[in-house]
Amino acid sequence: MKDNLIKLRKSMASYISLSNLPKILLFMFLMLVVPLLLGFPASTLTFLTKFMVLSIVGLGFSILLGYTGLASLGTAGFIAIGTYVLGFMHNQMNASLFVVIIVGIALALLLGAIVGVISLRIEGMYLAIITLGLSEIIIEFLRNAISITNGNGGLQLQGFSIFGITHSTVNLEYIQAFYIFIIVVLGIFMLLYSNIVTSQTGRAMLAVKNNTSAAQAMGISILKYRLLAFILSTITALVGGILYVSIDAYTEPNLWTLAISLNILAAIILGGSKSMWGVLIGMFIIFGLRDVVLVRVPFFAENGNAIFFFTGIIVILIIMFYPQGLIKLLEKQWFKLKNYIKNKMNKKGVLEHENVKKD
């Protein structure tokens, strides 16, 4: 009995790590304080909220792509399901956001398991095509199930509220409250991501990605970890959809096109598919840079389409010269800076020591 408890404690310890908690808390603090200090308007807070919601989706996709090497183009379809789950349950059952999230996670378990089983038979671009087809089936269903989804007319959340504050796109109180709520939710998902990828599960997923035959020879279950990766990716997509529709209180099938899935894929590759901070950087460049930063530059404000050329060039250059993502470039420069400072400090110490000897 005692041995079993010790094994359980060691197993739990491998999944519970707070090493990244200080950095995550610092990130949450900056996201909370900087917009308030700079007096960001409601529109900018809304864009930042959407960026953080999509970052939650990106964290799940990063596990799928970066740690098991599986590509999916069905992310937009799963996000769309999340938006309609909230819209239907709120309008028809008056369910709260937290109840809807629990239902969404349960649904994601089912969908993720189905796609995960498919991934055992099909890999590479064929799996990407299958997930794309699944996404298109979902979108077409949402377009044609008019009695449930209102089709292309879209679904509007009626009287939606959070923490007792009723939704309104011009209600600064609601926008600020939801912004703070999303910071907390993103922080939780960042901590979960950090624990998963540094645990035995993360190492097993990498083994599956690097060589499935070698992984099987070591006793690693391909089915288990591919299922888990798809389930985690689907959970973050559905939860992201539920949170995303809470921002505008409106959804329609035409919002969730292939472009969303491709942009998420590009963001993960751009930032670094195996780095939590790389995911955030990539998602901000693709989904936040235009609406938060570049629109403030007169040239981009006057030439809106130039923004797409700018972000497209960044993606091409990073993939050409830093295929491991922008995070690797930043880490390399940070390493050089630390060495430069260290060398300067050592030289300064040597000079001071020589001066003391002369005196």
Side-chain angles (χ1 to χ4, degrees):
M1 181 69 178
K2 186 177 179 181
D3 291 340
N4 290 334
L5 288 174
I6 292 172
K7 287 180 181 179
L8 179 62
R9 190 180 302 168
K10 288 181 178 179
S11 177
M12 291 296 292
S14 70
Y15 284 93
I16 301 173
S17 172
L18 301 179
S19 59
N20 275 323
L21 184 59
K23 296 177 182 178
I24 293 171
L25 291 175
L26 177 60
F27 169 78
M28 293 169 64
F29 177 76
L30 292 174
M31 289 298 296
L32 178 63
V33 173
V34 171
L36 299 179
L37 287 178
L38 298 179
F40 283 5
S43 59
T44 304
L45 288 178
T46 300
F47 287 130
L48 285 173
T49 304
K50 290 180 178 180
F51 147 70
M52 288 190 289
V53 169
L54 290 172
S55 293
I56 293 172
V57 179
L59 290 173
F61 194 88
S62 170
I63 292 176
L64 182 66
L65 181 65
Y67 285 84
T68 56
L70 300 174
S72 171
L73 293 177
T75 311
F78 297 133
I79 297 174
I81 291 176
T83 65
Y84 278 92
V85 166
L86 176 59
F88 180 80
M89 290 189 66
H90 173 75
N91 289 348
Q92 302 297 325
M93 308 174 190
N94 199 29
S96 68
L97 177 63
F98 302 99
V99 172
V100 175
I101 288 176
I102 293 172
V103 173
I105 290 173
L107 182 58
L109 289 172
L110 175 61
L111 292 173
I114 292 171
V115 182
V117 170
I118 293 173
S119 73
L120 292 175
R121 296 267 181 189
I122 303 168
E123 294 183 5
M125 66 176 182
Y126 300 107
L127 178 61
I129 292 171
I130 290 266
T131 54
L132 172 59
L134 180 60
S135 177
E136 290 302 311
I137 290 171
I138 292 169
I139 299 302
E140 284 303 311
F141 171 79
L142 296 175
R143 283 197 180 105
N144 293 284
I146 298 174
S147 60
I148 301 174
T149 66
N150 197 33
N152 286 326
L155 194 63
Q156 185 78 42
L157 273 66
Q158 305 297 328
F160 181 75
S161 63
I162 184 171
F163 304 124
I165 306 171
T166 304
H167 172 273
S168 172
T169 54
V170 294
N171 185 351
L172 184 60
E173 185 182 7
Y174 176 88
I175 294 169
Q176 290 176 339
F178 195 73
Y179 179 77
I180 295 169
F181 171 67
I182 292 299
I183 290 175
V184 174
V185 174
L186 176 58
I188 293 171
F189 273 93
M190 289 171 69
L191 186 60
L192 290 173
Y193 174 93
S194 176
N195 278 272
I196 289 170
V197 300
T198 56
S199 68
Q200 294 176 359
T201 298
R203 292 191 290 273
M205 286 180 175
L206 275 178
V208 171
K209 175 186 177 181
N210 293 332
N211 192 317
T212 54
S213 299
Q216 284 179 317
M218 290 188 293
I220 296 173
S221 171
I222 306 300
L223 171 62
K224 174 183 175 181
Y225 290 105
R226 284 191 173 178
L227 278 177
L228 181 59
F230 265 108
I231 286 171
L232 292 173
S233 177
T234 310
I235 286 174
T236 55
L238 261 79
V239 171
I242 291 168
L243 297 174
Y244 197 95
V245 75
S246 303
I247 302 169
D248 296 326
Y250 175 80
T251 184
E252 62 172 280
N254 295 326
L255 291 175
W256 311 109
T257 62
L258 175 61
I260 296 293
S261 298
L262 290 175
N263 280 334
I264 291 173
L265 175 62
I268 301 305
I269 294 173
L270 174 63
S273 62
K274 290 190 289 186
S275 168
M276 175 175 68
W277 303 109
V279 170
L280 296 176
I281 291 170
M283 296 302 283
F284 181 76
I285 290 174
I286 298 297
F287 293 102
L289 186 66
R290 179 186 65 184
D291 297 315
V292 178
V293 179
L294 294 183
V295 291
R296 300 173 184 271
V297 179
F299 173 78
F300 290 109
E302 295 170 4
N303 304 276
N305 290 332
I307 292 174
F308 298 104
F309 287 101
F310 180 75
T311 54
I313 289 170
I314 292 176
V315 171
I316 293 170
L317 291 176
I318 292 299
I319 291 175
M320 284 179 63
F321 298 103
Y322 291 94
Q324 291 182 308
L326 190 58
I327 190 67
K328 290 299 179 184
L329 172 61
L330 296 177
E331 287 176 354
K332 185 177 180 181
Q333 298 305 316
W334 174 245
F335 181 74
K336 286 182 178 180
L337 179 61
K338 284 200 300 184
N339 281 341
Y340 176 78
I341 294 173
K342 185 178 178 180
N343 291 334
K344 283 288 185 182
M345 295 296 291
N346 289 339
K347 288 180 180 179
K348 184 179 179 182
V350 170
L351 289 174
E352 289 178 352
H353 182 68
E354 289 178 353
N355 289 334
V356 169
K357 278 187 174 181
K358 289 179 181 178
D359 293 340

